[in-house]
Amino acid sequence: TSTPLLHYKTSPPPTTNLSSILNNRDEINQITFSPLLSSFPNKGKTRYIATANDDGQVKLALLGETTTKSRTMKHGDEMTMTTCAVFRPPSFGENGKVSQQSSVELASGGTDCFIKLWDVSRPGKPISSYS
């Protein structure tokens, strides 16, 4: 007999309605969660969730202990589908601790054949873009 790889357990109901916060208007291609931000300096126990959507946007929500904030990053134009989004791991210094300059970064890719790197604290414009 084989042992199943996944064990299903009853989980508590969600405490936050993400659909009203992220406000996705088209199909979601990928959902990704950031590392727990307590590993970053001065960030507390928070985490980001990001969705890559068919409308060319990346929807981002900061899930805090008491509040939730959302932002939108425009990966491409209305003809571009954003197919993936992934958080970049934090940078570690020589002492093995997270660097003080470390920011939360997200990379997005789409059907425009571009990869864009974002600082999620300033989502208006990508840090860099690669084709």
Side-chain angles (χ1 to χ4, degrees), residues 4-23:
L5 296 175
L6 296 174
H7 297 280
Y8 296 97
K9 294 185 177 185
T10 305
S11 58
T15 57
T16 305
N17 181 356
L18 294 176
S19 60
S20 65
I21 295 163
L22 292 169
N23 198 20

Side-chain angles (χ1 to χ4, degrees), residues 48-85:
Y48 284 100
I49 181 175
T51 60
N53 304 307
D54 275 358
D55 61 5
Q57 296 180 349
V58 175
K59 300 285 187 158
L60 181 73
L62 176 62
L63 307 174
E65 293 176 342
T66 58
T67 61
T68 302
K69 300 175 186 176
S70 65
R71 300 178 177 142
T72 300
M73 295 177 284
K74 189 75 175 156
H75 177 88
D77 61 21
E78 63 275 352
M79 299 301 290
T80 302
M81 292 185 345
T82 307
T83 56
C84 60

Side-chain angles (χ1 to χ4, degrees), residues 86-115:
V86 66
F87 286 95
R88 183 178 186 176
S91 301
F92 291 92
E94 292 178 16
N95 60 0
K97 294 186 178 181
V98 175
S99 159
Q100 288 292 331
Q101 298 86 1
S102 187
S103 62
V104 181
E105 294 178 351
L106 179 95
S108 64
T111 56
D112 59 356
C113 299
F114 278 90
I115 298 172

